[in-house]
Amino acid sequence: MDKPECFIDTESGGKLYVKESALQILQKIEQPVVVVAVVGLYRTGKSYLMNRLAGKQTGFALGSTIESKTKGIWMWCVPHPTKAGTTLVLLDTEGLGDVDKGDSKHDSNIFCLAVLLSSTLVYNSRGTIDNRAVEELQYVTELTECIKVKSSNNEADDSGEFVKFFPSFIWAVRDFTLERKIYGNDATEDEYLEFALKLKVGTSKKVMEYNLPRECIQNYFPSRKCFTFPFPTAPENVSRLEKLDSADISSDFLEVTENFCKYAFEKSEVKNLHTLIDFLGHLAKNYVDTISSGVVPCLENAVIAMAKIENEAAVKDGLEIYQSGMEKLKDTFPLELKNVSSEHQHLSSTATQTFMKRSFRDNDGGYLKTLEEKINKLFDEYLRQNEEASKRQCEDLLSVLSGPMTEKLKQGFYAKPGGYDLFCKDLEDIVKNYNSQANKEVKAEEVLEEFLKQKSVDSKAILHADKKLTEKEKKIKGEILKTEGILLEQEIKVKEEKQRQLEEKMEAERKSNEERMRQMKEKMDEEIKLQREEAERAMDSKLREQAALLEKGFKEKADRMKEEMEEFKRQNAEAESNRAREFAEMLENSNRRHEESMAVMMQQHREQMEAIEQTNCRSSDGCCVL
């Protein structure tokens, strides 16, 4: 994007909605996305930080008056400066606490959306991190009322689960003028933040109100970071900060800004959900529609809804890959069956791989099964089209080769003594030439069989008219005509060719199933690994908080957190076990479908073998008669 565009806007009635033009932009992104969102009080310079993250001097609107410039949430998609193949999505949010707006519920919704959509949340404030600044971050304390992790109504407080889904947290303190000292000692920015978030000991209402927002920040966000920015320039120049040259801006301010950008680039991770191609747009629309309807957005429900959208799109993508390749192959029809089967295997594998990359929580394998069935249906149709092309080509070849015979029949060339032997000789030559030119065609044997059936009618008529033969010779030759011998032999060839083609198809199905199983196992290992890493990050965060509580003398809180962690570990172990079981069932179901398909083919194979044996018996009986 050359410039930012409004992503989430407000209707005249005050309801939020996602702009269609922004969704279309997101749907074109075919890379994982890192989402950095900034929130904070209006007129605190949020947009300037977003412009610097975009590597631009201007872009997001910077206000120069007391009026809030940004309305709703604006979006800017740019190539990630340090992570190849990744898109950086910057979200600049409407300033909180705008006196002109005076709607705290609207502010809470904006804050919640920034939390739900981002990989990294930047909270921008001015001055110092004192109690007033922490209290201004009241929206953090409302998160459990505004967001649910799970859909079950009887769910206990699931705030402990938030850390698995929430973004990392950066507190950007602007116009910071104090010395960073704690008890007279120099402190880092992060130490300054932790000191400001330090809990008080006690159980009084006042102490609990003081501790609540601090506990929420500690419990909900997996990591915290602080940057303190000095004044950027002289007060009279602040209103035109975006137009100033670097020489007119404080070097200390530029240094902190550079460190801030570097940290955001390096530490902002791609959320698992955001690896999906157009997930961010669908996710935003789901959350906004839910909030606008007055319902509390649920992470679990959003994931289920997004999984349906993404899995349907994954099936479509896989089919398009397969169909596109087979359409190109169709231009070269007719081909040998092994060539069509080989390309089918390759494209089927590529289609499954494409599906696997995009599919998301296809827990029972239903979408993969749909893809598999649709590919097999298409494959059967392409086989039919290849057979039709082969049949036309073989018929055209026979028409050319039998042209002279057809002309001789019209002229009565064979209607004379010895005509039958001449006819048989010409027919044998046609068959010989045909076999040498059409021996690799899938319909070669069937087309020849049909041709010989037609010619057997002519052969009987010619034999009857052959005056050279005696009645006895006619009777013997009538028992087993030369042309009927050729026809019988051809019938055996047709059945043997069908058997060979069936065996090729069975082999193709076996290889396709093996590749499908391999890719499913790979997908399972990847998803379980991501699930485990997500749980480990959350557990590390909780362990750090527990250690800090113990160090600061909050034993009772630390003990409660220990219990929470034990339950957290149990739930994650159960979730991992369930995921492994689901994948095992998927593999079992896929294998069962493969076995059922192979059983049908094996039955066809047995029937073909019996038909060949019966035809061979007839051939043997005919030879005895002859």
Short mmCIF file of all heavy atoms in Angstrom, two decimals, residues 39 96 111 123 132-141 169 171 213 217:
data_model
loop_
_atom_site.label_atom_id
_atom_site.label_comp_id
_atom_site.label_asym_id
_atom_site.label_seq_id
_atom_site.Cartn_x
_atom_site.Cartn_y
_atom_site.Cartn_z
N VAL A 39 -2.33 1.95 20.49
CA VAL A 39 -3.50 2.50 21.18
C VAL A 39 -3.01 3.53 22.19
O VAL A 39 -1.82 3.56 22.55
CB VAL A 39 -4.30 1.41 21.91
CG1 VAL A 39 -4.90 0.42 20.94
CG2 VAL A 39 -3.44 0.69 22.94
N LEU A 96 -8.06 7.34 22.40
CA LEU A 96 -8.98 7.05 23.50
C LEU A 96 -9.20 8.32 24.32
O LEU A 96 -8.33 9.18 24.44
CB LEU A 96 -8.40 5.95 24.40
CG LEU A 96 -7.97 4.65 23.68
CD1 LEU A 96 -7.30 3.71 24.68
CD2 LEU A 96 -9.16 3.98 23.03
N PHE A 111 -10.12 -0.55 21.73
CA PHE A 111 -9.00 -1.17 22.43
C PHE A 111 -9.04 -2.69 22.29
O PHE A 111 -8.01 -3.32 22.02
CB PHE A 111 -9.05 -0.78 23.92
CG PHE A 111 -7.87 -1.25 24.71
CD1 PHE A 111 -6.71 -0.50 24.77
CD2 PHE A 111 -7.90 -2.46 25.40
CE1 PHE A 111 -5.61 -0.94 25.51
CE2 PHE A 111 -6.82 -2.91 26.12
CZ PHE A 111 -5.66 -2.14 26.18
N TYR A 123 1.15 0.61 23.60
CA TYR A 123 0.33 1.57 24.34
C TYR A 123 1.13 2.86 24.46
O TYR A 123 2.22 2.89 25.02
CB TYR A 123 -0.03 1.04 25.73
CG TYR A 123 -0.86 2.03 26.52
CD1 TYR A 123 -2.15 2.36 26.11
CD2 TYR A 123 -0.35 2.66 27.66
CE1 TYR A 123 -2.92 3.28 26.81
CE2 TYR A 123 -1.11 3.57 28.36
CZ TYR A 123 -2.39 3.88 27.93
OH TYR A 123 -3.14 4.80 28.62
N ARG A 132 -1.80 7.60 37.79
CA ARG A 132 -2.79 8.16 36.86
C ARG A 132 -2.66 7.52 35.49
O ARG A 132 -3.65 7.16 34.86
CB ARG A 132 -2.58 9.68 36.75
CG ARG A 132 -3.57 10.36 35.80
CD ARG A 132 -3.17 11.80 35.56
NE ARG A 132 -1.86 11.89 34.98
CZ ARG A 132 -1.59 11.71 33.68
NH1 ARG A 132 -2.58 11.42 32.84
NH2 ARG A 132 -0.37 11.83 33.22
N ALA A 133 -1.41 7.33 35.02
CA ALA A 133 -1.18 6.73 33.70
C ALA A 133 -1.69 5.29 33.68
O ALA A 133 -2.28 4.84 32.69
CB ALA A 133 0.30 6.77 33.36
N VAL A 134 -1.46 4.55 34.76
CA VAL A 134 -1.93 3.16 34.83
C VAL A 134 -3.45 3.11 34.85
O VAL A 134 -4.08 2.28 34.19
CB VAL A 134 -1.34 2.44 36.06
CG1 VAL A 134 -1.93 1.03 36.17
CG2 VAL A 134 0.18 2.35 35.94
N GLU A 135 -4.04 4.03 35.60
CA GLU A 135 -5.50 4.05 35.69
C GLU A 135 -6.14 4.43 34.35
O GLU A 135 -7.25 4.01 34.04
CB GLU A 135 -5.94 5.03 36.77
CG GLU A 135 -5.69 4.49 38.18
CD GLU A 135 -6.07 5.49 39.25
OE1 GLU A 135 -6.33 6.66 38.91
OE2 GLU A 135 -6.10 5.10 40.43
N GLU A 136 -5.42 5.24 33.57
CA GLU A 136 -5.93 5.59 32.24
C GLU A 136 -5.98 4.37 31.32
O GLU A 136 -6.67 4.36 30.31
CB GLU A 136 -5.07 6.69 31.62
CG GLU A 136 -5.33 8.07 32.20
CD GLU A 136 -4.38 9.12 31.68
OE1 GLU A 136 -3.37 8.74 31.05
OE2 GLU A 136 -4.64 10.32 31.91
N LEU A 137 -5.21 3.35 31.70
CA LEU A 137 -5.24 2.10 30.94
C LEU A 137 -6.34 1.20 31.51
O LEU A 137 -6.18 0.00 31.66
CB LEU A 137 -3.87 1.41 31.01
CG LEU A 137 -3.55 0.27 30.03
CD1 LEU A 137 -3.88 0.65 28.61
CD2 LEU A 137 -2.10 -0.12 30.15
N GLN A 138 -7.47 1.80 31.83
CA GLN A 138 -8.59 1.09 32.44
C GLN A 138 -9.13 -0.01 31.53
O GLN A 138 -9.74 -0.98 32.00
CB GLN A 138 -9.71 2.08 32.75
CG GLN A 138 -10.22 2.80 31.49
CD GLN A 138 -11.36 3.76 31.76
OE1 GLN A 138 -12.18 3.48 32.60
NE2 GLN A 138 -11.39 4.87 31.05
N TYR A 139 -8.92 0.17 30.24
CA TYR A 139 -9.49 -0.78 29.27
C TYR A 139 -8.94 -2.18 29.46
O TYR A 139 -9.59 -3.17 29.14
CB TYR A 139 -9.22 -0.29 27.85
CG TYR A 139 -9.59 1.16 27.68
CD1 TYR A 139 -8.62 2.16 27.69
CD2 TYR A 139 -10.92 1.55 27.53
CE1 TYR A 139 -8.96 3.51 27.55
CE2 TYR A 139 -11.27 2.88 27.40
CZ TYR A 139 -10.29 3.86 27.42
OH TYR A 139 -10.63 5.18 27.31
N VAL A 140 -7.71 -2.27 30.04
CA VAL A 140 -7.13 -3.59 30.30
C VAL A 140 -7.97 -4.34 31.33
O VAL A 140 -8.17 -5.55 31.22
CB VAL A 140 -5.67 -3.45 30.79
CG1 VAL A 140 -5.11 -4.80 31.20
CG2 VAL A 140 -4.81 -2.85 29.70
N THR A 141 -8.47 -3.62 32.32
CA THR A 141 -9.25 -4.28 33.37
C THR A 141 -10.61 -4.74 32.85
O THR A 141 -11.25 -5.58 33.49
CB THR A 141 -9.46 -3.33 34.57
OG1 THR A 141 -10.29 -2.24 34.14
CG2 THR A 141 -8.13 -2.80 35.07
N PHE A 169 3.40 -6.72 24.59
CA PHE A 169 2.98 -5.39 25.02
C PHE A 169 4.18 -4.45 25.08
O PHE A 169 5.20 -4.78 25.69
CB PHE A 169 2.32 -5.51 26.40
CG PHE A 169 1.79 -4.22 26.97
CD1 PHE A 169 0.53 -3.76 26.61
CD2 PHE A 169 2.54 -3.46 27.86
CE1 PHE A 169 0.02 -2.58 27.14
CE2 PHE A 169 2.04 -2.29 28.40
CZ PHE A 169 0.79 -1.84 28.03
N TRP A 171 5.05 -0.45 26.10
CA TRP A 171 4.57 0.83 26.62
C TRP A 171 5.53 1.91 26.12
O TRP A 171 6.71 1.93 26.49
CB TRP A 171 4.54 0.82 28.15
CG TRP A 171 3.72 1.97 28.73
CD1 TRP A 171 3.71 3.26 28.30
CD2 TRP A 171 2.81 1.91 29.83
NE1 TRP A 171 2.86 4.03 29.05
CE2 TRP A 171 2.28 3.22 30.01
CE3 TRP A 171 2.39 0.90 30.69
CZ2 TRP A 171 1.37 3.53 31.01
CZ3 TRP A 171 1.47 1.20 31.68
CH2 TRP A 171 0.96 2.50 31.84
N PRO A 213 -5.35 -3.09 37.63
CA PRO A 213 -4.83 -2.90 36.27
C PRO A 213 -3.42 -3.44 36.11
O PRO A 213 -3.05 -3.91 35.04
CB PRO A 213 -4.87 -1.37 36.09
CG PRO A 213 -4.91 -0.81 37.47
CD PRO A 213 -5.63 -1.81 38.30
N ILE A 217 -2.23 -6.37 33.35
CA ILE A 217 -1.12 -6.23 32.39
C ILE A 217 -0.15 -7.39 32.55
O ILE A 217 0.33 -7.98 31.57
CB ILE A 217 -0.39 -4.89 32.60
CG1 ILE A 217 -1.33 -3.72 32.23
CG2 ILE A 217 0.87 -4.82 31.75
CD1 ILE A 217 -0.77 -2.36 32.59
#
